Amino acid sequence: MQLFHAPRSCSLGIRILLEEIGVPHQVATIDLSSGQQRDAAFLAVNPKGKVPALLRDDGTVLTEFQAIALWLARRFPEAGLLPEDADAAARVIEAMEFIVGTVHMRGFALALMPSKFVSPQTAQGELRVHGMRVATEGLHHISALLGETTPWLFGPRPGVADAALFYVTYWAKALNIDLPSTLDAFYDQMLKRPSVVRAIDASPT
Ligand SMILES: N[C@@H](CCC(=O)N[C@@H](CS)C(=O)NCC(=O)O)C(=O)O
């Protein structure tokens, strides 16, 4: 398999999942700052011009964080990334969708890149504030789900929702956003996992 990945982007979460599984894979680095996601070579992989994209062993490409995470969890069930039970799995996906669909796409995406959505400077400033509020409130909301007995969202080890929570928390730390103590503890525990160390260290800076 080959993961198309941009350092410090949301594809970090998928990289962590691949490391948690321990499956051999290659990483193709896409430089978003130079616009490599719009090069013909990458658009041939993912016409949407976004990472993550996962080229699988059968030659097909899967895109969208939640779809890739779900496929990896079901393809490698021994890694314990998503419960078998339908009700428990739905709760994990509910959290992952909130993190990716709301905290990332309606929070950080607006806060970090307002110029992609509006042109006037004042509107960009307002969008930045709005996005930051959505991201911060969302992080507080999700932190309420962090377990009392384990630092993870669900179960005895991190799964697909934790991988998503890690990348948005990584952004929050870079922006010096004040986080609830449970989320700080989650982040510190994730940083101790060999999978996370490998996923971050292996990323070019
Ligand atoms: N809905 C997509 C969003 C992916 C996404 O927004 N990726 C960003 C990096 S975090 C990207 O590739 N941005 C490049 C661009 O928009 O030009 C998913 O869940 O995978």
Side-chain angles (χ1 to χ4, degrees), residues 21-39:
I21 293 165
V23 59
H25 62 277
Q26 296 175 336
V27 174
T29 301
I30 302 298
D31 181 5
L32 299 183
S33 62
S34 70
Q36 198 185 351
Q37 70 275 28
R38 292 185 294 275
D39 285 356

Side-chain angles (χ1 to χ4, degrees), residues 4 44-46 53-56 58-63:
F4 291 83
V45 174
N46 180 7
L54 185 69
L55 174 61
R56 298 178 290 180
D58 67 358
T60 61
V61 174
L62 195 57
T63 63

Side-chain angles (χ1 to χ4, degrees), residues 2-203:
Q2 186 172 31
L3 175 66
F4 291 83
H5 166 65
R8 297 180 299 281
S9 81
C10 56
S11 57
L12 175 60
I14 299 298
R15 190 160 191 182
I16 290 170
L17 292 176
L18 287 165
E19 292 288 351
E20 284 282 334
I21 293 165
V23 59
H25 62 277
Q26 296 175 336
V27 174
T29 301
I30 302 298
D31 181 5
L32 299 183
S33 62
S34 70
Q36 198 185 351
Q37 70 275 28
R38 292 185 294 275
D39 285 356
F42 182 63
L43 291 176
V45 174
N46 180 7
K48 292 178 279 190
K50 304 272 185 196
V51 294
L54 185 69
L55 174 61
R56 298 178 290 180
D57 290 342
D58 67 358
T60 61
V61 174
L62 195 57
T63 63
E64 302 295 326
F65 189 99
Q66 297 98 314
I68 298 170
L70 176 63
W71 180 77
L72 285 172
R74 286 296 182 248
R75 170 68 184 77
F76 302 99
E78 62 284 357
L81 299 173
L82 182 68
E84 283 298 316
D85 173 73
D87 197 55
R91 289 294 174 199
V92 175
I93 291 180
E94 182 181 37
M96 177 171 62
E97 168 53 30
F98 178 72
I99 294 163
V100 178
T102 297
V103 178
H104 170 181
M105 299 306 297
R106 298 183 64 89
F108 284 112
L110 304 184
L112 294 171
M113 290 165 298
S115 60
K116 286 181 90 167
F117 303 95
V118 287
S119 301
Q121 289 294 325
T122 48
Q124 287 185 25
E126 286 167 9
L127 208 51
R128 202 180 286 282
V129 170
H130 170 78
M132 196 64 95
R133 192 178 67 241
V134 170
T136 305
E137 285 177 3
L139 286 168
H140 278 75
H141 184 73
I142 208 82
S143 73
L145 296 176
L146 288 165
E148 303 250 314
T149 50
T150 78
W152 324 119
L153 282 169
F154 305 95
R157 57 167 295 172
V160 293
D162 299 276
L165 185 57
F166 181 79
Y167 83 74
V168 289
T169 309
Y170 191 70
W171 293 346
K173 290 280 179 187
L175 293 169
N176 290 319
I177 294 176
D178 263 341
L179 298 175
S181 57
T182 49
L183 198 46
D184 275 331
F186 162 84
Y187 187 72
D188 292 344
Q189 290 301 316
M190 283 295 277
L191 283 178
K192 290 184 184 152
R193 292 188 77 80
S195 65
V196 175
V197 172
R198 282 196 296 274
I200 293 174
D201 278 353
S203 293

